[in-house]
Amino acid sequence: MAAEVTGSFAFAGALGCVFMIVALRHVYRGKGSSWAKGAAGERRTARILAPLTWFGFYAVLHDRAVPRSRANLDHVLIGRRGLVYIDTKNWMSERVRIRVDSRGRLWCGNYCKQNEVDTVRWEAGHVAAALGWPALAVIAVHGAIVPGSVVQLDGVTVVQASHLRRYLRRLPKAPGWNRAMVRETARVADRRLKPAAATEGPSSVSQRRRNGYRRPPARRPRGRR
């Protein structure tokens, strides 16, 4: 009799653990891991940038490693406007607004994002150092509202992601950046800025794949947008 009672408690405990695991997994998937959200935002930005490359005036590299660092570069755009480093932020609360306080710090709702702005400025500096040309630093925001679609900070421009392509096309052209210059700089960038996955261990790559990372698919041109 005692053995039966013990067995019943063990079965109930095991069943409870199963239900708890399923519930936690459901919550985790519903909210999504921060990395998975970030990867989804990067894919959306890559799709926004893709039409710029169709006519040879721009080239873009995605998910590159910062030289001699474990940090990664989301998007390096090379084109008629020179070098632009674009960092994707997937701040997906669409009821939240981006603002700049009296001290010049960036906020997303009640959260100060100045450390992330400083990081983007630092990453753009590494792009410039690696390629030998100044690099404009841009943050592309998905979700949260950027007033006027563009906010200028000290050395960093915050742009609503849906407005990104239009913003880039309106930048003043840099002298000498023709198609040949774009191709050559893209070739150098591909050599000097290694793919981030190539600098990570197998466990890091596996974790990224489990979180849903995929390289942006190739898109065929359907005319200028």
Side-chain angles (χ1 to χ4, degrees):
M1 182 68 178
E4 291 180 0
V5 172
T6 302
S8 298
F9 276 112
F11 176 77
L15 189 61
C17 288
V18 170
F19 280 120
M20 182 177 294
I21 291 171
V22 170
L24 289 174
R25 191 175 181 184
H26 176 74
V27 170
Y28 176 83
R29 285 186 172 182
K31 293 184 177 180
S33 69
S34 59
W35 198 98
K37 287 182 178 179
E42 290 178 28
R43 291 195 297 271
R44 293 174 69 188
T45 302
R47 288 194 291 269
I48 290 170
L49 295 174
L52 294 175
T53 68
W54 289 346
F55 302 97
F57 291 110
Y58 294 88
V60 61
L61 284 70
H62 304 287
D63 197 26
R64 298 294 168 134
V66 174
R68 298 176 296 280
S69 171
R70 298 184 64 181
N72 76 297
L73 305 166
D74 288 354
H75 320 275
V76 178
L77 184 70
I78 304 160
R80 291 187 290 183
R81 280 75 178 170
L83 299 180
V84 182
Y85 170 61
I86 303 165
D87 187 81
T88 293
K89 298 302 181 188
N90 207 15
W91 297 331
M92 290 305 295
S93 178
E94 297 181 356
R95 297 180 180 179
V96 173
R97 297 180 67 85
I98 299 297
R99 61 185 175 87
V100 179
D101 66 14
S102 59
R103 297 170 58 184
R105 299 177 303 175
L106 185 72
W107 289 75
C108 181
N110 295 323
Y111 297 93
C112 182
K113 299 294 185 178
Q114 190 57 39
N115 285 342
E116 298 182 45
V117 172
D118 295 339
T119 298
V120 172
R121 188 185 299 110
W122 175 83
E123 290 168 342
H126 276 273
V127 171
L131 302 182
W133 297 94
L136 179 66
V138 173
I139 295 176
V141 176
H142 294 275
I145 300 170
V146 179
S149 298
V150 178
V151 171
Q152 300 285 351
L153 297 171
D154 182 20
V156 179
T157 304
V158 181
V159 181
Q160 194 84 59
S162 59
H163 188 78
L164 179 62
R165 198 162 61 230
R166 185 184 310 170
Y167 164 79
L168 293 170
R169 282 187 169 141
R170 289 180 175 177
L171 289 175
K173 295 181 181 179
W177 285 87
N178 53 28
R179 290 180 178 178
M181 181 71 166
V182 170
R183 285 196 304 269
E184 176 60 19
T185 306
R187 184 187 64 80
V188 173
D190 191 47
R191 186 176 72 249
R192 296 182 181 177
L193 302 174
K194 304 296 184 183
T199 65
E200 297 173 343
S203 60
S204 299
V205 176
S206 298
Q207 182 65 36
R208 293 165 69 118
R209 288 172 178 169
R210 285 196 297 271
N211 283 330
Y213 176 79
R214 295 289 187 276
R215 289 194 177 277
R219 298 284 296 275
R220 296 184 62 183
R222 296 181 178 176
R224 186 179 179 88
R225 293 185 181 180

